[in-house]
């Protein structure tokens, strides 16, 4: 090939050389020269490539390469030139085909084949294809051997690849060519075999051709091919064989032939060996064990292609070849394609039981878990889905008798992998992981001790947390009650979106998993080895126990599962999902039996009764959704029975009552598929109803009752009231007797809805009364609710017949934890929770009905102590809030009758009448008017005083509670009446010698030594209260007797020195106890220690008297000084009531000393310790001197001119500070004490400063301008169970 010199200038201009064959180019027409690079003359190329051209192979190769380049770059130009002359095309094809036969150079052959095929495709020369095939056929048929046929076979394979129709032409018109290929498979040349397999692969890729060649394959090709595949050594042959195999495996008929040739027809589950010659499983196993990942992947693809036709039919062959073992081994690799192929094969093998019985899963589960753990670190969700799918199928299909996890470590690792997979952001992965978790929660997977409860908890929480994190759109539309709606949502007019459906699938799978774990907990209840971890040390806290796990399931259901399902149900309602959900809730009642009642109450208060009924009405009408209907009915039955058993207001039901309710629910719930309005219509049916319909009505009534008990009111109260009334009338008309549980539900619903409806007429009231009279015990139909109480007490017919029993039941079920047992007479009521929450439902009834009030009084006398105490609490609250004179008179008159009857019936032993007598006396004390200080005592009051004093005379000191109530009543009677009536009352009491004898014994308890165990504590609380009341009552009686000069029939003796020692040495004494003794001592001092009622004696005999003792008798100087010190010590305690008593006693003592021995009085007043005491009291804060007690104390020091205690400067400072005070802000007691202090300072002339005298006068004038009418304050109170008059202590 040379370059034309004449065209050299043009070549340089164009920058490219002309490709010419100089010897022949001059003969060629210029049209054969291509105008664009490469500037090739097609005619020159044709002549140069001829076998007779004598050109070297290198030049031919170059020309051939240039021609291929031109044909590729300028396809249109070249094909147009060639298409103009058919002879040229034929000649060119012949030349190229001749090159294939005459040249052994591989690259040249490759170029020739490429150009030849390109010409065939571009020129679309159908006849030339046939001619070429005929030439190939002649070539192959004339060859004695296949030694030189590689190029021809290769050409045929690539032509079949480039020309789709060629395969069919080959089979139909040139069948001998196909037959000749069998010789190539038998020729010992792997390159030729590879070319033959390539050609067969292209032929069998056409379904039509594959059908025509099916006999050829079955009879001739199959054994040769399997042998070739088995013996293939070169990668090219291996790949082409696998390519052909994959084409063959697309057709079931070829798979059947190949596997039958592999010997699978005779293989059974018990076979131990396979045929060793040319079996496909063994061949693929050999490729699987090669080190080439491409061949490994191809081998697995072929296995999958076989198994996909019939896993059950073909899997045994692979299983017996131990291929699953090596597939599991390959899971340790990191190549994603290889992992995918292994997962696919194993997934198909799981459909064969032999795969599990041969324990391949037990061997490979650890590899699978490790593989999944590694994939979680990759970003390949599809691969992760495939692995999780395989894991799910293994978990589902693993036989129970073969443990999948042989050690707890692998089980825990599996749990961790699933937990991490659930957290994936890809929802498809989450869905597959959720299904795997559901299969994982099975007893035979997790029963290997120790059960990994901690890991299971983490997995369950992760499962439900992931569901809770699903980004469901929250409906913001207002909720309207229009029949069948779920709480918090309403049906959407449009169908659910794809996202909602996908998330519903995940949620359903999670619920299925949660149901499985609940079933797992129920199954473990019967497994002793699963109750707790046997390897836990005895001294450590056992957390991994079944009980802890069960409580966790309940907790996580409450906090995660229920809110998530409810939130999703607001957007879309799926019957299958709700069926699983309700079955989960039902199973929790069994899993955590000790919490089932509490859980049931929470579900009922969250409208789950309504939810279940609406689901049944919406989806279960007729025969639709039977599984959901069964789940709803089972859940409702368990829920209602739990609620019925947990009815706190009337105690646990009887076994018979529970059995009746259970029978009604189980029999009728599957048929209850109506909404609220339809259910009320059924209850209102006034026509004759049969037994089945009546039971249906009872079932609906029980459901409504339990829903209303827990504040789930999903029907209108007025409509419900009317329906229940109609039902009761129908029952009465048919002379039926409803079960007590059903009748209780009816009464409760009537009572609850009464405020929203008209009062009952005579007919339904008569029916109710007759039914109540047929009940042996009213407690069987009583529900503890304020509406029930009001219902029975508002109708006179029911009140007169059942009021006593209803009130008794009401009080018996009231919580008494708030009652003040130790203080039955407290003026501050401690209401029980029910009363406090509902505003004392009895109080408005008591205000409007005296009949109810009298029934309560009867209950105090006739009921047990517990109920009687609750009556006291109610009446205490009532009397405090409604101080009615007529009510008090009514109660006192009724009490007088009870006491008179008691004393007449019991005679000398009234205390044996029962333990309610102290409560009666407490109530008698309660009905005394608290705010009326000047009330004349009438005959009833005097008779009550007489009866109570006589009753006290019959008591012993053991009746502490009764005596305390009696003393309180007597003391209060003396201090809340006028002076004239008070004199009469004291005369009545002094006339009772037994009473005074009992009072003497009571005071004697003060000197008794307490038990050794209570030396520091002193007497009991009740006994201490009795002593306080006794001393106060004695002081009152002594003062009134002395004031009125009343006749005394029985004197009281008190040892004065013991009284003083009690004040001085007694430890741990209450302030009220000291104050009561101080009030008695003050009364005695005011009477100059000489009283007709109280005789003061001294037991300190034999002491040497001092000169001053005779004037102070019966006191001694030492006792006086000791008493002063005791009073000072008590005053330092800064207790208000005690300080008032101390100052009053000190004033009486100073008056006594001033009258008996003024020097001693001055000595006591001038003690330096008094100044320290005064400043200690003044240290309480700014203007602390304005306390009435401190003012009275300073007045006392001024009176006795104790300048060493209170100097003129001190008095001046007090006056200056007093002048700055706003008197309108001071209480009356302070103003009164201040006035006395100023007058005392003014009268004694203690001030030498005239300015201070003017200040005193100004202050006195200001005080005189103040209103003399003090504001009213309650004088009589009850402190620690003791009736106390503040004025009695202070004045």
């Amino acid at each position: 090939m040379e370059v034309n010199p004449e065209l050299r200038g043009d070549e340089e201009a164009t920058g490219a050389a002309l490709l010419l064959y100089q010897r022949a180019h001059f003969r060629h027409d210029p049209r054969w020269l291509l105008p664009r690079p490469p500037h090739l003359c097609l005619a020159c190329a044709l002549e140069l490539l001829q076998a007779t051209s004598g050109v070297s192979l290198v030049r031919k190769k170059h020309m051939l390469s240039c021609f291929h380049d031109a044909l590729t770059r300028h396809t249109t130009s070249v094909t147009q030139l060639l298409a103009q002359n058919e002879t040229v095309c034929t000649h060119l094809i012949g030349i190229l085909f001749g090159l294939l036969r005459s040249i052994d150079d591989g690259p040249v052959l490759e170029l020739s084949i490429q150009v030849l095929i390109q010409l065939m495709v571009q020129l679309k020369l159908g006849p030339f294809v046939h001619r070429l095939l005929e030439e190939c056929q002649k070539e192959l048929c004339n060859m004695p051997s296949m030694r030189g046929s590689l190029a021809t076979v290769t050409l045929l394979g690539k032509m079949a690849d480039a020309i789709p129709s060629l395969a069919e032409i080959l089979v139909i018109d040139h069948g001998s060519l196909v037959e000749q290929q069998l010789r190539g498979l038998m020729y010992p040349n792997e390159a030729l075999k590879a070319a033959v397999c390539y050609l067969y692969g292209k032929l069998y890729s056409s379904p039509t051709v594959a059908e025509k060649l099916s006999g050829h394959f079955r009879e001739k090709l199959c054994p040769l091919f399997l042998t070739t595949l088995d013996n293939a050594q070169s990668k090219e042959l291996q790949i082409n064989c696998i390519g052909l195999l994959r084409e063959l495996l697309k057709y079931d008929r070829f798979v059947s032939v190949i596997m039958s040739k592999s010997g699978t027809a005779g293989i059974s589950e018990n076979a131990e060996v396979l045929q060793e010659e040319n079996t496909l499983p063994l061949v693929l196993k050999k490729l699987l064990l090669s080190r080439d990942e491409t061949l490994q992947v191809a081998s697995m693809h072929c296995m999958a292609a076989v198994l996909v036709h019939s896993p059950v039919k073909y899997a045994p062959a692979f299983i017996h070849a131990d291929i699953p073992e090596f597939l599991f081994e390959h899971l340790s690799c990191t190549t994603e394609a290889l992992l995918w192929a292994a997962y696919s094969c194993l997934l198909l093998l799981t459909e064969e039981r032999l795969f599990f019985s041969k324990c391949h899963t037990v061997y490979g589960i650890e590899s699978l878990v490790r593989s999944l753990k590694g994939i979680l670190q990759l970003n390949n969700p599809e691969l992760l889905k495939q692995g999780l799918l395989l894991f799910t199928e293994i978990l589902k299909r693993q036989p129970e008798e073969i443990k999948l996890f042989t050690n707890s470590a692998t089980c825990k690792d599996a749990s961790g992998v699933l937990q991490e997979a659930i957290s994936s952001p890809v929802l498809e992965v989450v869905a597959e992981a959720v299904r795997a978790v559901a299969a994982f929660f099975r007893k035979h997977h997790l029963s290997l001790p120790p059960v990994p409860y901690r890991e299971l908890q983490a997995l369950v929480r992760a499962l439900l947390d992931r569901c809770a994190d699903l980004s469901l759109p929250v409906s913001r539309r207002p909720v309207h009650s229009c029949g069948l709606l779920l709480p918090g949502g309403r049906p959407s007019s449009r169908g659910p979106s794809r996202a909602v459906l996908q998330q519903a699938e995940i949620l359903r799978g999670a619920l299925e998993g949660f149901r499985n774990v609940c079933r797992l907990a129920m199954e473990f209840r019967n497994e002793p080895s699963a109750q707790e971890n046997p390897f836990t040390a005895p001294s450590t806290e056992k957390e991994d126990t079944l009980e802890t796990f069960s409580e966790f399931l309940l907790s996580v259901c409450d906090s995660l599962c229920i809110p998530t399902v409810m939130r999703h149900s607001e957007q879309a309602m799926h019957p299958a999902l709700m069926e699983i959900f309700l079955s989960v809730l039902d199973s929790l009642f069994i899993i955590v039996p000790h919490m089932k009642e509490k859980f049931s109450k929470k579900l009922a208060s969250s409208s789950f009764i309504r939810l279940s009924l609406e689901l049944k009405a919406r989806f279960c009408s007729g025969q639709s959704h039977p599984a959901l209907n069964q789940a709803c009915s089972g859940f409702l039955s368990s829920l209602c029975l739990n609620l019925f058993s947990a009815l706190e207001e009337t105690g646990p039901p009887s076994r018979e009552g529970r059995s009746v309710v259970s029978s009604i629910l189980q029999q009728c719930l599957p048929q209850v598929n109506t909404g609220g309005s339809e259910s009320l219509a059924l209850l209102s049916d006034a026509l004759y109803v049969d037994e089945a319909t009546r039971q249906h009505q009872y079932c609906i009534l029980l459901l409504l009752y339990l829903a209303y008990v827990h504040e789930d009111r999903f029907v209108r109260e007025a409509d419900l009231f009317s329906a229940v009334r109609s039902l009761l009338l129908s029952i009465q008309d048919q002379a039926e007797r409803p079960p007590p549980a059903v009748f209780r539900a009816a009464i409760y619903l009537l009572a609850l809805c009464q405020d929203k409806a008209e009062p009952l007429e005579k007919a339904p009231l008569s029916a109710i009364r007759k039914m109540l009279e047929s009940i042996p015990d009213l407690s069987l139909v009583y529900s503890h609710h304020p509406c029930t109480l009001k219902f029975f007490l508002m109708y006179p017919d029911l009140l007169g017949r059942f009021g006593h029993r209803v009130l008794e039941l009401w009080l018996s079920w009231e919580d008494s934890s708030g009652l003040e047992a130790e203080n039955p007479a407290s003026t501050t009521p401690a209401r029980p929770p029910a009363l406090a929450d509902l505003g004392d439902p009895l109080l408005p009834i008591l205000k409007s009905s005296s009949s109810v009030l009298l029934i309560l009084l009867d209950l105090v006398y006739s009921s047990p102590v517990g109920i009687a105490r609750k009556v006291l609490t109610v009446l205490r609250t009532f009397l405090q809030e409604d101080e009615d004179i007529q009510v008090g008179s009514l109660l006192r008159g009724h009490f007088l009758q009870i006491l008179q009857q008691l004393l007449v019936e019991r005679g000398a032993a009234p205390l044996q009448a029962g333990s309610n007598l102290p409560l009666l006396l407490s109530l008698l004390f309660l009905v005394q008017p608290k705010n009326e200080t000047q009330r004349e005592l009438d005959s009833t009051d005097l008779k009550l005083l007489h009866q109570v004093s006589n009753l006290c005379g019959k008591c012993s000191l053991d009746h502490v509670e009764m005596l305390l109530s009696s003393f309180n009543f007597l003391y209060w009677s003396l201090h809340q009446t006028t002076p004239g009536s008070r004199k009469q009352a004291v005369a009545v009491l002094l006339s009772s010698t037994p009473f005074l004898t009992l009072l003497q014994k009571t005071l004697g308890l003060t000197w008794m030594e307490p038990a050794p165990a209570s030396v520091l504590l002193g007497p009991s609380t009740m006994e201490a209260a009795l002593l306080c009341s006794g001393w106060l009552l004695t002081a009152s009686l002594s003062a009134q007797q002395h004031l009125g000069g009343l006749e005394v029939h029985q004197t009281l003796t008190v040892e004065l020195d013991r009284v003083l020692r009690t004040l001085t040495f007694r430890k741990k004494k209450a302030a009220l106890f000291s104050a009561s003794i101080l009030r008695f001592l003050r009364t005695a001092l005011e009477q100059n220690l000489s009283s007709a009622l109280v005789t003061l004696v001294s037991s300190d005999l034999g002491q040497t008297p001092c000169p001053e003792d005779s004037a102070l008798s019966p006191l001694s100087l030492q006792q006086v000084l000791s008493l002063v010190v005791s009073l000072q010590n008590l005053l330092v305690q800064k207790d208000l009531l005690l300080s008032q008593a101390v100052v009053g006693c000190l004033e009486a003592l100073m008056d006594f000393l001033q009258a008996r021995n003024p020097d001693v009085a001055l000595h006591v007043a001038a003690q330096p310790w008094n100044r320290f005491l005064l400043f200690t009291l003044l240290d309480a804060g700014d203007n602390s001197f304005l306390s009435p007690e401190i003012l009275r104390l300073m007045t006392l020091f001024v009176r006795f001119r104790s300048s060493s205690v209170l100097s003129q400067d001190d008095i001046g400072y007090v006056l200056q500070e007093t002048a700055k005070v706003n008197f309108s802000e001071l209480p009356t007691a302070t103003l009164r004490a201040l006035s006395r202090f100023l007058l005392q300072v003014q009268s004694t002339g203690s001030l030498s400063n005239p300015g201070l005298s003017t200040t005193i006068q100004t202050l006195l004038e200001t005080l005189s301008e103040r209103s003399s009418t003090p504001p009213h304050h309650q004088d009589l109170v009850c402190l620690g169970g003791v009736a106390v008059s503040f004025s009695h202590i202070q004045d």
Side-chain angles (χ1 to χ4, degrees), residues 739-741 743-744 747 772 775 777-783 788 792:
F743 190 38
R744 175 173 63 177
I747 294 295
L772 288 173
I775 301 296
D777 187 357
L778 194 62
S779 63
L780 296 175
V781 297
Y782 171 77
S783 297
T788 306
F792 274 96

Side-chain angles (χ1 to χ4, degrees), residues 973-995:
S973 298
L974 294 178
H975 288 276
Q976 57 86 45
T977 187
T978 61
S981 295
R982 187 178 298 120
K983 185 176 181 179
Q984 291 180 321
V986 172
V988 170
L989 296 179
L990 294 180
S991 64
S992 176
T993 301
F995 165 70

Side-chain angles (χ1 to χ4, degrees), residues 227-243:
T227 302
T228 302
L229 177 61
D230 185 33
N231 297 324
Q233 298 297 321
S234 67
K235 187 172 181 179
E236 180 185 10
L237 177 57
Q238 290 173 333
I239 291 176
N240 286 356
C241 284
I242 292 176

Side-chain angles (χ1 to χ4, degrees), residues 1108-1128:
E1108 294 83 358
D1109 290 348
S1110 58
L1112 301 177
S1113 179
L1115 286 174
S1116 65
L1117 179 60
Q1118 181 181 359
Q1119 289 176 328
V1120 170
L1121 297 178
S1122 177
L1123 176 59
V1124 171
V1125 172
S1126 299
L1127 295 177
Q1128 291 172 339

Side-chain angles (χ1 to χ4, degrees), residues 68 174 179 224 370 513 670 672 716 727 817 915 950:
H68 178 265
H174 304 279
E179 296 293 336
L224 286 175
R370 282 199 305 267
V672 176
R716 292 180 62 249
L727 174 64
S817 60
S915 57
N950 286 342

